[in-house]
Coordinates of all heavy atoms in Angstrom, one line a residue:
M25 N -5.7 -66.0 -55.8 CA -6.6 -64.8 -56.0 C -7.7 -64.8 -55.0 O -8.6 -65.8 -55.0 CB -7.1 -64.8 -57.4 CG -8.0 -63.7 -57.7 SD -8.2 -63.9 -59.5 CE -9.3 -62.6 -59.7
D26 N -7.7 -63.9 -54.1 CA -8.9 -63.8 -53.1 C -10.0 -62.9 -53.7 O -9.7 -61.6 -53.8 CB -8.4 -63.3 -51.8 CG -7.5 -64.3 -51.1 OD1 -7.8 -65.5 -51.3 OD2 -6.7 -63.9 -50.2
V27 N -11.1 -63.4 -53.8 CA -12.3 -62.6 -54.3 C -13.4 -63.0 -53.3 O -13.8 -64.0 -53.1 CB -12.7 -62.9 -55.8 CG1 -13.9 -62.2 -56.1 CG2 -11.5 -62.8 -56.7
A28 N -13.8 -61.9 -52.7 CA -14.9 -62.0 -51.8 C -16.1 -61.6 -52.5 O -16.3 -60.6 -53.1 CB -14.7 -61.1 -50.6
A29 N -17.0 -62.6 -52.5 CA -18.4 -62.2 -53.1 C -19.1 -61.3 -52.3 O -19.2 -61.4 -51.0 CB -19.2 -63.6 -53.2
E30 N -19.6 -60.3 -52.9 CA -20.4 -59.2 -52.2 C -21.8 -59.7 -52.2 O -22.4 -59.7 -53.3 CB -20.2 -57.8 -52.8 CG -18.9 -57.3 -52.6 CD -18.8 -55.9 -53.1 OE1 -19.8 -55.1 -52.9 OE2 -17.7 -55.4 -53.4
V31 N -22.3 -59.9 -51.1 CA -23.7 -60.4 -50.9 C -24.4 -59.2 -50.2 O -24.0 -58.8 -49.0 CB -23.9 -61.7 -50.1 CG1 -25.3 -62.0 -49.9 CG2 -23.1 -62.8 -50.8
P32 N -25.4 -58.6 -50.7 CA -26.1 -57.5 -50.0 C -26.8 -58.0 -48.7 O -27.4 -59.1 -48.8 CB -27.1 -57.1 -51.1 CG -27.3 -58.1 -52.0 CD -26.1 -58.9 -52.1
V33 N -26.6 -57.3 -47.7 CA -27.2 -57.6 -46.5 C -28.6 -56.9 -46.4 O -28.6 -55.7 -46.4 CB -26.4 -57.3 -45.3 CG1 -27.0 -57.6 -44.0 CG2 -25.0 -57.9 -45.4
A34 N -29.6 -57.7 -46.3 CA -31.0 -57.1 -46.2 C -31.1 -56.5 -44.9 O -30.9 -57.1 -43.9 CB -32.0 -58.2 -46.5
E35 N -31.5 -55.3 -44.9 CA -31.9 -54.6 -43.6 C -33.2 -55.1 -43.2 O -34.2 -55.3 -43.9 CB -31.9 -53.1 -43.7 CG -30.5 -52.5 -44.0 CD -30.5 -51.0 -44.0 OE1 -31.3 -50.4 -43.2 OE2 -29.6 -50.5 -44.7
L36 N -33.3 -55.3 -41.8 CA -34.6 -55.7 -41.2 C -35.6 -54.5 -41.3 O -35.2 -53.4 -41.0 CB -34.5 -56.1 -39.8 CG -33.6 -57.5 -39.6 CD1 -33.5 -57.6 -38.1 CD2 -34.4 -58.6 -40.3
T37 N -36.8 -54.8 -41.7 CA -37.8 -53.8 -41.6 C -38.3 -53.7 -40.1 O -38.0 -54.5 -39.4 CB -39.1 -54.1 -42.5 OG1 -39.7 -55.3 -41.8 CG2 -38.7 -54.3 -43.9
V38 N -39.1 -52.6 -39.9 CA -39.6 -52.4 -38.5 C -40.4 -53.5 -38.2 O -40.4 -54.0 -37.1 CB -40.4 -51.1 -38.5 CG1 -40.9 -50.8 -37.1 CG2 -39.4 -49.9 -38.8
Q39 N -41.2 -54.0 -39.2 CA -42.2 -55.1 -38.8 C -41.3 -56.4 -38.6 O -41.8 -57.1 -37.7 CB -43.1 -55.3 -40.1 CG -44.2 -54.3 -40.3 CD -43.7 -53.0 -41.0 OE1 -42.5 -52.9 -41.4 NE2 -44.5 -52.1 -41.2
D40 N -40.3 -56.6 -39.2 CA -39.4 -57.7 -38.9 C -38.9 -57.6 -37.5 O -38.7 -58.7 -36.8 CB -38.3 -57.8 -39.9 CG -38.6 -58.1 -41.3 OD1 -39.6 -58.7 -41.5 OD2 -37.8 -57.7 -42.2
L41 N -38.4 -56.4 -37.1 CA -38.0 -56.2 -35.7 C -38.9 -56.5 -34.7 O -38.8 -57.2 -33.7 CB -37.4 -54.8 -35.5 CG -36.1 -54.4 -36.4 CD1 -36.0 -52.9 -36.2 CD2 -35.0 -55.2 -35.9
V42 N -40.2 -56.1 -34.9 CA -41.3 -56.3 -34.0 C -41.6 -57.8 -33.9 O -41.8 -58.4 -32.9 CB -42.6 -55.4 -34.4 CG1 -43.8 -55.9 -33.6 CG2 -42.3 -54.0 -34.2
A43 N -41.7 -58.4 -35.2 CA -42.0 -59.8 -35.1 C -41.0 -60.7 -34.5 O -41.2 -61.7 -33.7 CB -42.1 -60.3 -36.6
S44 N -39.7 -60.3 -34.7 CA -38.6 -61.0 -34.0 C -38.7 -60.8 -32.5 O -38.6 -61.8 -31.8 CB -37.3 -60.4 -34.5 OG -36.1 -61.1 -33.8
A45 N -39.0 -59.7 -32.0 CA -39.1 -59.5 -30.5 C -40.3 -60.3 -30.0 O -40.2 -60.8 -28.9 CB -39.2 -58.0 -30.2
L46 N -41.4 -60.4 -30.8 CA -42.6 -61.1 -30.3 C -42.4 -62.6 -30.4 O -43.2 -63.2 -29.7 CB -43.8 -60.6 -31.1 CG -44.5 -59.3 -30.6 CD1 -45.6 -59.0 -31.6 CD2 -45.0 -59.3 -29.3
S47 N -41.5 -63.0 -31.2 CA -41.3 -64.4 -31.4 C -40.9 -65.2 -30.1 O -41.0 -66.4 -30.1 CB -40.3 -64.7 -32.5 OG -39.0 -64.3 -32.2
K48 N -40.5 -64.5 -29.2 CA -40.1 -65.1 -27.9 C -41.2 -65.4 -26.9 O -41.0 -65.8 -25.9 CB -39.0 -64.2 -27.3 CG -37.7 -64.2 -28.0 CD -36.9 -63.0 -27.8 CE -35.6 -62.9 -28.7 NZ -35.9 -62.8 -30.0
F49 N -42.4 -65.0 -27.3 CA -43.6 -65.1 -26.6 C -44.6 -66.1 -27.3 O -44.5 -66.3 -28.5 CB -44.3 -63.8 -26.4 CG -43.4 -62.7 -25.6 CD1 -42.6 -62.0 -26.2 CD2 -43.4 -62.8 -24.2 CE1 -41.7 -61.1 -25.5 CE2 -42.7 -62.0 -23.5 CZ -41.8 -61.1 -24.1
R50 N -45.6 -66.6 -26.5 CA -46.6 -67.5 -27.0 C -47.9 -66.8 -26.9 O -48.1 -65.8 -26.2 CB -46.6 -68.7 -26.2 CG -45.3 -69.6 -26.3 CD -45.4 -70.8 -25.5 NE -46.0 -70.4 -24.1 CZ -45.7 -71.0 -23.0 NH1 -44.9 -72.0 -23.0 NH2 -46.2 -70.6 -21.9
A51 N -48.9 -67.4 -27.5 CA -50.3 -66.9 -27.5 C -50.7 -67.0 -26.0 O -50.4 -67.9 -25.3 CB -51.2 -67.8 -28.4
G52 N -51.4 -66.0 -25.6 CA -51.9 -65.9 -24.2 C -50.8 -65.2 -23.3 O -51.2 -64.8 -22.2
D53 N -49.6 -65.0 -23.7 CA -48.7 -64.3 -22.9 C -48.9 -62.7 -23.0 O -49.6 -62.3 -23.8 CB -47.3 -64.4 -23.4 CG -46.7 -65.9 -23.1 OD1 -47.2 -66.6 -22.4 OD2 -45.5 -66.1 -23.7
T54 N -48.4 -62.1 -21.9 CA -48.5 -60.6 -21.8 C -47.2 -60.0 -22.0 O -46.3 -60.5 -21.5 CB -49.1 -60.2 -20.4 OG1 -50.4 -60.8 -20.3 CG2 -49.3 -58.7 -20.4
V55 N -47.2 -59.0 -23.0 CA -46.0 -58.5 -23.3 C -45.9 -57.1 -22.9 O -46.9 -56.4 -22.8 CB -45.6 -58.4 -24.9 CG1 -45.5 -59.9 -25.4 CG2 -46.6 -57.7 -25.6
S56 N -44.7 -56.6 -22.4 CA -44.5 -55.2 -21.9 C -44.0 -54.3 -23.0 O -43.0 -54.6 -23.7 CB -43.4 -55.3 -20.8 OG -42.7 -54.1 -20.6
T57 N -44.7 -53.1 -23.1 CA -44.2 -52.2 -24.2 C -42.8 -51.7 -24.0 O -42.0 -51.6 -24.9 CB -45.1 -51.1 -24.4 OG1 -45.3 -50.4 -23.1 CG2 -46.5 -51.5 -24.9
R58 N -42.4 -51.6 -22.6 CA -41.0 -51.1 -22.3 C -40.1 -52.2 -22.7 O -39.0 -51.9 -23.4 CB -40.9 -50.9 -20.8 CG -39.5 -50.4 -20.4 CD -39.4 -50.2 -19.0 NE -40.3 -49.2 -18.5 CZ -40.8 -49.1 -17.3 NH1 -40.3 -49.9 -16.3 NH2 -41.5 -48.1 -17.0
A59 N -40.2 -53.4 -22.4 CA -39.4 -54.5 -22.7 C -39.3 -54.8 -24.3 O -38.2 -54.9 -24.9 CB -39.8 -55.8 -22.1
M60 N -40.4 -54.6 -25.0 CA -40.5 -54.7 -26.5 C -39.7 -53.6 -27.1 O -38.9 -53.9 -27.9 CB -41.9 -54.7 -26.9 CG -42.6 -56.0 -26.5 SD -42.0 -57.5 -27.3 CE -42.2 -57.2 -29.0
L61 N -39.9 -52.4 -26.6 CA -39.1 -51.2 -27.2 C -37.6 -51.4 -27.0 O -36.8 -51.2 -27.9 CB -39.6 -50.0 -26.6 CG -40.9 -49.5 -27.0 CD1 -41.3 -48.2 -26.2 CD2 -40.9 -49.2 -28.5
D62 N -37.2 -51.9 -25.8 CA -35.8 -52.2 -25.5 C -35.2 -53.2 -26.5 O -34.2 -53.1 -27.0 CB -35.6 -52.6 -24.1 CG -35.8 -51.6 -23.1 OD1 -35.8 -50.3 -23.5 OD2 -35.9 -51.7 -21.9
A63 N -36.0 -54.3 -26.6 CA -35.5 -55.4 -27.6 C -35.4 -55.0 -29.0 O -34.4 -55.3 -29.6 CB -36.6 -56.7 -27.5
I64 N -36.3 -54.2 -29.4 CA -36.4 -53.6 -30.9 C -35.2 -52.7 -31.0 O -34.5 -52.8 -32.0 CB -37.7 -52.9 -31.2 CG1 -38.8 -54.0 -31.2 CG2 -37.6 -52.2 -32.4 CD1 -40.2 -53.5 -31.3
R65 N -34.9 -51.8 -30.0 CA -33.9 -50.8 -30.2 C -32.5 -51.6 -30.2 O -31.6 -51.1 -30.8 CB -34.0 -49.9 -29.0 CG -35.2 -49.0 -29.0 CD -35.1 -47.9 -30.1 NE -36.4 -47.1 -30.1 CZ -36.9 -46.5 -31.0 NH1 -36.5 -46.7 -32.2 NH2 -38.0 -45.7 -30.9
R66 N -32.4 -52.7 -29.4 CA -31.2 -53.4 -29.3 C -31.0 -54.2 -30.7 O -29.8 -54.2 -31.1 CB -31.1 -54.4 -28.2 CG -30.8 -53.8 -26.8 CD -30.4 -54.9 -25.9 NE -31.5 -55.9 -25.8 CZ -32.5 -55.9 -25.0 NH1 -32.9 -54.8 -24.2 NH2 -33.4 -56.9 -25.0
S67 N -32.0 -54.8 -31.2 CA -31.9 -55.6 -32.4 C -31.7 -54.7 -33.7 O -31.1 -55.1 -34.6 CB -33.2 -56.4 -32.6 OG -33.4 -57.3 -31.6
G68 N -32.3 -53.5 -33.7 CA -32.1 -52.6 -34.8 C -31.7 -51.2 -34.4 O -32.6 -50.3 -34.3
P69 N -30.5 -51.0 -34.0 CA -30.1 -49.7 -33.5 C -30.3 -48.5 -34.5 O -30.4 -47.4 -34.1 CB -28.6 -49.9 -33.1 CG -28.2 -51.1 -33.7 CD -29.4 -52.0 -34.0
A70 N -30.4 -48.8 -35.7 CA -30.6 -47.8 -36.8 C -32.0 -47.4 -36.9 O -32.4 -46.6 -37.7 CB -30.0 -48.3 -38.0
C71 N -32.9 -48.2 -36.2 CA -34.4 -47.9 -36.4 C -34.7 -46.5 -35.7 O -34.4 -46.3 -34.6 CB -35.2 -49.0 -35.6 SG -36.9 -48.7 -35.6
D72 N -35.2 -45.6 -36.6 CA -35.5 -44.3 -36.0 C -37.0 -44.0 -35.9 O -37.3 -42.8 -35.8 CB -34.8 -43.2 -37.0 CG -35.3 -43.3 -38.4 OD1 -36.0 -44.2 -38.7 OD2 -34.8 -42.5 -39.3
D73 N -37.8 -45.0 -35.9 CA -39.3 -44.9 -35.8 C -39.4 -44.4 -34.3 O -38.7 -44.9 -33.4 CB -40.0 -46.2 -36.0 CG -40.0 -46.6 -37.4 OD1 -38.9 -46.6 -38.1 OD2 -41.1 -46.8 -38.0
S74 N -40.5 -43.6 -34.2 CA -40.8 -43.2 -32.8 C -41.3 -44.3 -31.9 O -41.8 -45.3 -32.4 CB -41.9 -42.1 -32.8 OG -43.2 -42.7 -33.3
D75 N -41.3 -44.1 -30.6 CA -41.8 -45.2 -29.7 C -43.2 -45.3 -29.9 O -43.8 -46.5 -29.9 CB -41.6 -44.7 -28.2 CG -40.1 -44.9 -27.8 OD1 -39.3 -45.5 -28.6 OD2 -39.8 -44.5 -26.6
D76 N -44.1 -44.2 -30.1 CA -45.5 -44.4 -30.3 C -45.7 -45.2 -31.6 O -46.7 -46.1 -31.5 CB -46.1 -42.9 -30.6 CG -46.1 -42.2 -29.2 OD1 -46.0 -42.9 -28.1 OD2 -46.3 -41.0 -29.2
H77 N -45.0 -45.0 -32.7 CA -45.2 -45.8 -33.9 C -44.9 -47.3 -33.6 O -45.6 -48.2 -34.0 CB -44.5 -45.3 -35.0 CG -44.6 -46.1 -36.3 ND1 -43.6 -46.8 -36.9 CD2 -45.7 -46.3 -37.0 CE1 -44.2 -47.3 -37.9 NE2 -45.4 -47.1 -38.0
L78 N -43.7 -47.6 -32.9 CA -43.4 -48.9 -32.6 C -44.4 -49.5 -31.7 O -44.9 -50.7 -31.8 CB -42.1 -49.0 -31.9 CG -40.8 -48.5 -32.8 CD1 -39.5 -48.5 -32.0 CD2 -40.8 -49.6 -33.9
V79 N -45.0 -48.9 -30.7 CA -46.0 -49.4 -29.8 C -47.2 -49.8 -30.6 O -47.9 -50.8 -30.4 CB -46.3 -48.4 -28.7 CG1 -47.5 -48.8 -27.9 CG2 -45.1 -48.3 -27.7
E80 N -47.6 -48.9 -31.6 CA -48.7 -49.3 -32.4 C -48.5 -50.5 -33.2 O -49.4 -51.4 -33.2 CB -48.9 -48.1 -33.5 CG -50.1 -48.2 -34.4 CD -50.3 -47.2 -35.3 OE1 -49.7 -46.1 -35.2 OE2 -51.0 -47.4 -36.3
L81 N -47.4 -50.7 -33.7 CA -47.0 -52.0 -34.4 C -47.0 -53.1 -33.5 O -47.4 -54.3 -33.8 CB -45.7 -51.8 -35.1 CG -45.6 -50.8 -36.2 CD1 -44.2 -50.7 -36.8 CD2 -46.6 -51.2 -37.3
I82 N -46.4 -53.0 -32.3 CA -46.4 -54.0 -31.3 C -47.9 -54.5 -30.8 O -48.1 -55.6 -30.8 CB -45.6 -53.5 -30.0 CG1 -44.1 -53.4 -30.3 CG2 -45.9 -54.6 -28.9 CD1 -43.5 -52.5 -29.2
V83 N -48.7 -53.5 -30.6 CA -50.0 -53.8 -30.2 C -50.7 -54.6 -31.3 O -51.4 -55.6 -31.1 CB -50.9 -52.6 -29.8 CG1 -52.3 -52.8 -29.7 CG2 -50.3 -51.9 -28.6
M84 N -50.6 -54.1 -32.5 CA -51.3 -54.8 -33.6 C -50.9 -56.2 -33.9 O -51.6 -57.2 -34.1 CB -51.2 -54.0 -35.0 CG -51.9 -52.7 -35.0 SD -52.0 -51.8 -36.6 CE -50.2 -51.7 -37.0
A85 N -49.6 -56.4 -33.7 CA -49.0 -57.7 -34.0 C -49.3 -58.6 -32.7 O -49.6 -59.8 -32.9 CB -47.5 -57.6 -34.2
A86 N -49.2 -58.1 -31.5 CA -49.5 -58.9 -30.3 C -50.9 -59.3 -30.2 O -51.2 -60.5 -30.1 CB -49.0 -58.1 -29.1
I87 N -51.8 -58.5 -30.5 CA -53.2 -58.9 -30.4 C -53.6 -59.8 -31.5 O -54.4 -60.7 -31.4 CB -54.2 -57.7 -30.3 CG1 -54.2 -56.8 -31.4 CG2 -54.0 -57.0 -29.0 CD1 -55.2 -55.7 -31.4
G88 N -52.9 -59.7 -32.6 CA -53.1 -60.7 -33.8 C -52.7 -62.0 -33.4 O -53.1 -63.0 -34.0
K89 N -51.7 -62.2 -32.4 CA -51.3 -63.4 -32.0 C -51.9 -63.8 -30.6 O -51.4 -64.6 -29.9 CB -49.7 -63.3 -31.8 CG -49.0 -63.2 -33.0 CD -47.5 -63.0 -32.9 CE -46.7 -62.8 -34.2 NZ -46.3 -64.1 -34.8
T90 N -53.0 -63.1 -30.3 CA -53.8 -63.2 -29.0 C -52.9 -63.1 -27.7 O -52.9 -63.9 -26.9 CB -54.5 -64.7 -29.0 OG1 -53.6 -65.7 -29.0 CG2 -55.5 -64.7 -30.1
M91 N -52.0 -62.1 -27.8 CA -51.2 -61.8 -26.6 C -51.8 -60.5 -26.0 O -52.4 -59.7 -26.6 CB -49.7 -61.5 -27.0 CG -49.1 -62.6 -27.6 SD -47.4 -62.1 -28.3 CE -46.8 -63.5 -29.1
G92 N -51.5 -60.4 -24.8 CA -51.9 -59.2 -24.0 C -50.8 -58.1 -24.0 O -49.7 -58.6 -24.3
V93 N -51.1 -56.9 -23.7 CA -50.1 -55.9 -23.8 C -50.2 -55.0 -22.6 O -51.3 -54.6 -22.2 CB -50.3 -55.0 -25.1 CG1 -49.2 -53.9 -25.1 CG2 -50.2 -55.8 -26.4
V94 N -49.0 -54.8 -21.9 CA -49.1 -53.9 -20.7 C -48.3 -52.6 -21.2 O -47.2 -52.6 -21.8 CB -48.2 -54.6 -19.7 CG1 -48.0 -53.5 -18.4 CG2 -48.9 -55.8 -19.1
F95 N -48.9 -51.4 -21.1 CA -48.5 -50.2 -21.6 C -47.7 -49.5 -20.4 O -48.1 -48.7 -19.6 CB -49.6 -49.3 -22.1 CG -50.3 -49.9 -23.2 CD1 -51.3 -50.6 -23.1 CD2 -49.9 -49.5 -24.5 CE1 -52.1 -51.2 -24.2 CE2 -50.6 -50.0 -25.7 CZ -51.7 -50.9 -25.5
D96 N -46.3 -50.0 -20.4 CA -45.5 -49.5 -19.3 C -44.4 -48.7 -19.8 O -43.4 -48.6 -19.1 CB -45.1 -50.6 -18.5 CG -44.3 -51.7 -19.1 OD1 -44.2 -51.6 -20.4 OD2 -43.8 -52.7 -18.5
H97 N -44.4 -48.3 -21.0 CA -43.2 -47.6 -21.6 C -43.0 -46.2 -21.3 O -42.0 -45.6 -21.4 CB -43.2 -47.9 -23.2 CG -44.3 -47.1 -23.8 ND1 -45.6 -47.7 -23.7 CD2 -44.4 -46.0 -24.5 CE1 -46.4 -46.8 -24.4 NE2 -45.7 -45.9 -24.9
R98 N -44.0 -45.5 -20.8 CA -43.9 -44.0 -20.5 C -43.4 -43.9 -19.0 O -43.9 -44.6 -18.1 CB -45.2 -43.4 -20.8 CG -45.7 -43.3 -22.1 CD -46.7 -42.2 -22.4 NE -47.3 -42.3 -23.7 CZ -46.7 -41.7 -24.8 NH1 -45.6 -41.0 -24.6 NH2 -47.3 -41.7 -25.9
S99 N -42.6 -42.8 -18.9 CA -42.2 -42.6 -17.4 C -43.4 -41.9 -16.7 O -44.4 -41.5 -17.4 CB -41.0 -41.7 -17.4 OG -41.4 -40.4 -17.9
P100 N -43.5 -41.9 -15.4 CA -44.6 -41.2 -14.7 C -44.8 -39.9 -15.1 O -45.9 -39.3 -15.1 CB -44.2 -41.4 -13.2 CG -43.3 -42.6 -13.2 CD -42.5 -42.6 -14.5
D101 N -43.7 -39.1 -15.4 CA -43.8 -37.7 -15.8 C -44.5 -37.6 -17.2 O -45.1 -36.5 -17.4 CB -42.4 -37.1 -16.0 CG -41.7 -37.0 -14.6 OD1 -42.4 -37.1 -13.6 OD2 -40.5 -36.9 -14.6
E102 N -44.5 -38.7 -18.0 CA -45.1 -38.5 -19.3 C -46.5 -38.9 -19.3 O -47.3 -38.7 -20.3 CB -44.3 -39.4 -20.3 CG -42.9 -38.9 -20.6 CD -42.2 -39.9 -21.6 OE1 -42.0 -41.1 -21.2 OE2 -41.9 -39.5 -22.6
R103 N -47.0 -39.6 -18.3 CA -48.3 -40.1 -18.3 C -49.3 -39.0 -18.1 O -49.1 -38.0 -17.4 CB -48.5 -41.1 -17.3 CG -47.6 -42.3 -17.4 CD -47.9 -43.5 -16.3 NE -46.9 -44.5 -16.7 CZ -46.2 -45.2 -15.7 NH1 -46.4 -44.9 -14.5 NH2 -45.4 -46.0 -16.1
L104 N -50.5 -39.2 -18.7 CA -51.4 -38.1 -18.6 C -52.2 -38.3 -17.2 O -52.3 -39.3 -16.7 CB -52.5 -38.4 -19.7 CG -52.0 -38.3 -21.1 CD1 -53.1 -38.5 -22.1 CD2 -51.6 -36.8 -21.5
P105 N -52.4 -37.1 -16.6 CA -53.1 -37.1 -15.4 C -54.6 -37.5 -15.6 O -55.1 -37.4 -16.6 CB -53.1 -35.7 -14.9 CG -52.8 -34.9 -16.2 CD -52.2 -35.7 -17.1
L106 N -55.1 -38.2 -14.5 CA -56.5 -38.5 -14.6 C -57.4 -37.4 -14.5 O -57.1 -36.4 -13.7 CB -56.9 -39.6 -13.5 CG -56.3 -41.0 -13.6 CD1 -56.6 -41.8 -12.2 CD2 -56.8 -41.7 -14.8
S107 N -58.5 -37.3 -15.1 CA -59.4 -36.3 -15.0 C -60.0 -36.3 -13.6 O -60.1 -37.4 -13.1 CB -60.5 -36.4 -16.1 OG -59.9 -36.3 -17.3
E108 N -60.5 -35.2 -13.2 CA -61.1 -35.2 -11.8 C -62.3 -36.0 -11.7 O -62.6 -36.5 -10.7 CB -61.3 -33.7 -11.4 CG -60.1 -33.0 -11.1 CD -60.3 -31.5 -10.7 OE1 -61.5 -31.2 -10.4 OE2 -59.3 -30.7 -10.8
G109 N -63.1 -36.1 -12.9 CA -64.3 -36.8 -12.9 C -64.1 -38.2 -13.0 O -65.1 -39.1 -12.9
I110 N -62.9 -38.8 -13.2 CA -62.7 -40.2 -13.4 C -62.2 -40.9 -12.1 O -61.2 -40.3 -11.4 CB -61.7 -40.5 -14.5 CG1 -62.2 -40.0 -15.9 CG2 -61.3 -42.0 -14.6 CD1 -61.3 -40.1 -17.0
S111 N -62.8 -41.9 -11.7 CA -62.3 -42.6 -10.5 C -61.9 -44.0 -10.8 O -62.6 -44.7 -11.6 CB -63.4 -42.6 -9.4 OG -63.1 -43.4 -8.3
L112 N -60.9 -44.5 -10.2 CA -60.5 -45.9 -10.4 C -61.2 -46.8 -9.4 O -61.0 -48.0 -9.6 CB -58.9 -46.0 -10.3 CG -58.1 -45.2 -11.4 CD1 -56.7 -45.4 -11.1 CD2 -58.5 -45.8 -12.8
R113 N -61.9 -46.3 -8.4 CA -62.5 -47.2 -7.6 C -63.9 -47.5 -8.1 O -64.5 -46.8 -8.7 CB -62.7 -46.4 -6.2 CG -61.4 -46.3 -5.4 CD -61.6 -45.7 -4.1 NE -61.5 -44.3 -4.2 CZ -61.7 -43.6 -3.1 NH1 -61.9 -44.1 -1.9 NH2 -61.6 -42.2 -3.1
A114 N -64.3 -48.8 -7.8 CA -65.6 -49.3 -8.2 C -66.7 -48.7 -7.4 O -66.6 -48.4 -6.3 CB -65.6 -50.7 -8.4

């Protein structure tokens, strides 16, 4: 008699996905929002949270672990233009 025990598979929460992606880094490292989003989407393809929400979670978790964050997830077309009154030169 073959009886397979049904064990419920716990779905990962969004926080679990973020923590898992960040676990590959150490304190003081800098993480890329683009790379983190890619890792989260690969680990949890059913995750339907927006990129903006995921970036918020990434930032909160990363700075809590004393990591830097590079915001490189938006394409150049999505980036906001600089105001005319703002200069990047010192």
Side-chain angles (χ1 to χ4, degrees):
M25 178 174 176
D26 287 335
V27 177
E30 288 189 30
V31 178
V33 176
E35 289 188 33
L36 294 176
T37 66
V38 178
Q39 289 82 2
D40 293 336
L41 293 171
V42 170
S44 175
L46 281 175
S47 70
K48 293 156 182 64
F49 298 91
R50 299 178 313 213
D53 286 349
T54 301
V55 297
S56 154
T57 54
R58 179 183 300 157
M60 291 295 296
L61 288 171
D62 288 344
I64 291 166
R65 298 285 184 212
R66 278 193 314 272
S67 297
C71 176
D72 59 358
D73 289 52
S74 70
D75 285 354
D76 288 340
H77 182 243
L78 291 173
V79 167
E80 181 181 343
L81 295 174
I82 291 164
V83 170
M84 289 189 303
I87 61 176
K89 296 176 180 268
T90 65
M91 297 174 184
V93 179
V94 174
F95 294 88
D96 59 353
H97 62 286
R98 294 197 188 272
S99 70
D101 295 338
E102 294 177 297
R103 295 182 186 142
L104 297 175
L106 289 175
S107 298
E108 291 179 12
I110 297 175
S111 173
L112 294 178
R113 292 189 265 181

